[in-house]
Amino acid sequence: NDLVQSQLQLQRTYSTINAMRKMGPVELEQYISGMEQQFEGKMVPEVAAVIKNGRTMQSKLNTRISNGDAIGAAQDRGLIDLPPLVPDMYERAPDGSVITTQKGVPVISNQYRDAIAQRKQAAAKVAEKFNLTKPQFLTATEQQVFKERLKFGDAGTRMAILTSVVTGFGAEAPIVLSEIADTKEVGVYGHIGGLIVDGRNEAAED
């Protein structure tokens, strides 16, 4: 009967839109354009609803990617499942003090290393899915938190962030720094990061 048909149509529409949420921008464009061509001149409400939702979804996705939030967009769409980059990134002694190497470099905790390793894998997956020329590593929320701490935090806070990014992300650190620092500051922070890697923490703090 009509009620059953309506329920089936609604279910199909929901399933289609749900599947579209898992697509990257290029894949989504191809899918929507294909539907528009297929139903040109014979559009039905069910398909029109899917196309309208798809175009809105596409616009929002492209905006988030261009705003540097590809990781957050992918997470919201269920493409990746990530732990947040934990706020305390260092190994600590029983008294709460940070454990350091002989050169005075804080030792990154295993939990933080695991989170970064997962983030690197996710960033590579999202870059491929979303056709990015270079990967994005942080969500918009994480970027905002790190930016504020770099801008307004004391010297110890800034050093902690730079040390964790440089030692944690390694070769990808410059990309991560570009996500959390103003353009004019990236070179400065990169230089400080180099001093940290060399174990010259006192020079870096200066």
Side-chain angles (χ1 to χ4, degrees), residues 74-90:
Q75 193 163 19
D76 289 348
R77 283 164 171 71
L79 292 169
I80 53 174
D81 183 25
L82 289 176
L85 290 182
V86 290
D88 190 8
M89 61 267 303
Y90 299 131

Side-chain angles (χ1 to χ4, degrees), residues 15 25 69-70 88 93 110 119-121 126 132 147 151 153 156:
S15 297
D69 193 27
D88 190 8
N110 286 330
R119 187 60 62 95
K120 285 181 177 179
Q121 289 179 337
V126 172
L132 306 180
K147 277 180 180 176
K151 198 166 187 176

Side-chain angles (χ1 to χ4, degrees), residues 85 111-121 164 168-169:
L85 290 182
Q111 186 187 4
Y112 187 71
R113 285 185 189 280
D114 289 346
I116 285 185
Q118 288 182 53
R119 187 60 62 95
K120 285 181 177 179
Q121 289 179 337
S164 67
F169 283 96

Side-chain angles (χ1 to χ4, degrees), residues 30 56 58 89 129 152 198-199:
Q30 289 171 343
T56 302
Q58 183 184 33
M89 61 267 303
K129 183 77 175 175
F152 303 113
D198 292 339

Side-chain angles (χ1 to χ4, degrees), residues 27-40 43 47 51 55:
E27 195 180 357
L28 195 53
E29 172 58 39
Q30 289 171 343
Y31 188 81
I32 297 170
S33 296
M35 287 188 83
E36 287 172 337
Q37 288 169 12
Q38 185 183 345
F39 288 90
E40 190 176 2
M43 189 61 68
V47 175
I51 290 172
R55 287 295 179 203

Side-chain angles (χ1 to χ4, degrees), residues 154-179:
D154 58 22
T157 299
R158 293 201 294 271
M159 276 294 291
I161 292 170
L162 292 175
T163 304
S164 67
V165 168
V166 171
T167 56
F169 283 96
E172 284 92 0
I175 299 176
V176 181
L177 286 174
S178 73
E179 292 182 24

